[in-house]
Amino acid sequence: MTALSDLIAAADQLWPAALAEPWDRPGLAVGDPNSRVTHVHLALDVTDATLAEAANFGADVLFTHHPTLFRPAAEVTTVSWPGRLVYRAVQHGIALFSAHTNADSAAGGVNDVLAGLIGISEPTPLVPNDDDPRVGLGRVGPLSPPTALGQLAADIARALPSTASQVRVAGDFDELVHTVAVCSGAGDSLLDEPAARAADVYVSADLRHHVSIDARARGQRGLINLSHWASEWVWLPVAADQLRHAVPGIEVTVSDLRTDPWDFAIAQ
Ligand SMILES: [Zn+2]
């Protein structure tokens, strides 16, 4: 029998909780560590839809990248948010577990998967961890082979699941890109890192107006802005394979539900 505690121990080997940022709240949010696990369902977010899907699949665990109880919930009722997610999870006997910034930083985690998909060879952390410089937030490295900015953005757009957020680019379409810095998810905060500034292009999601203008004014030649959901969803199939290896005998499935908040875009 596989207990939830066995799954948590395996997850901690792959994405050590010690690598999580101090403000983060990954790990077990809902569940009994002694309960039996036969089926783990992976999604980027706990939403009404992904939770219903997990229940339909008969999963005992909904494993997500984003923590459910990131902010404290004052109520756990069917009419509160995010309290109703906790209510429904308990109702269906589904544990809620997440690997967030620890999975971003870990070797082979979210940023390594995204860097590999972009074509960065031998990526190293953009912000190395103090205790272990082989892990950390973001990745940077040479692009193999060097590619024009517009072509690189088109290649990334093809490699990611499509979203209304699309792929937006700042910079010269034809400029040859030799080095790329990347940060999965919301990457405003790493834009000013020396290794990001030194790269020809910075690839991330949720890049805001002012920080992007500032970065361009400081000399950042290229920015590629992705959908937050798409930039991190690509990690889920890899994480699922790692869990299948680490915890043999359990079923592991990945949700294709788009939890990107945008439904459509109007081209102008
Ligand atoms: Zn994220």
Side-chain angles (χ1 to χ4, degrees), residues 76-81 83-84 87-88 91:
V76 177
T77 69
T78 55
V79 291
S80 62
W81 178 269
R84 75 166 179 257
Y87 186 98
R88 296 283 182 224
Q91 192 178 34

Side-chain angles (χ1 to χ4, degrees), residues 176-190:
L176 204 55
V177 174
H178 295 271
T179 55
V180 178
V182 62
C183 177
S184 59
D188 271 3
S189 60
L190 303 191

Side-chain angles (χ1 to χ4, degrees), residues 126-140:
L126 201 50
V127 185
N129 183 280
D130 289 339
D131 300 326
D132 181 357
R134 294 167 303 174
V135 298
L137 292 174
R139 293 294 183 269
V140 62

Side-chain angles (χ1 to χ4, degrees), residues 44-45 65-67 100-101 104 110 184-186 205-206 228-229 231-232:
L44 202 71
D45 301 280
H65 182 46
H66 295 139
H100 190 209
T101 51
D104 290 332
V110 189
S184 59
D206 292 344
H228 186 135
W229 172 82
S231 75
E232 297 183 323

Side-chain angles (χ1 to χ4, degrees), residues 102-124:
N102 45 325
D104 290 332
S105 285
V110 189
N111 278 291
D112 270 331
V113 170
L114 185 60
L117 184 144
I118 288 170
I120 300 174
S121 55
E122 297 176 26
T124 55

Side-chain angles (χ1 to χ4, degrees), residues 2 17 36 58 63 70 74-75 88 108 113 116 126 130 142 180 195 206 213 235 261:
T2 301
R36 185 177 182 192
F63 181 120
F70 195 68
E75 296 168 42
R88 296 283 182 224
V113 170
L126 201 50
D130 289 339
V180 178
D206 292 344
I213 285 184
W235 168 67

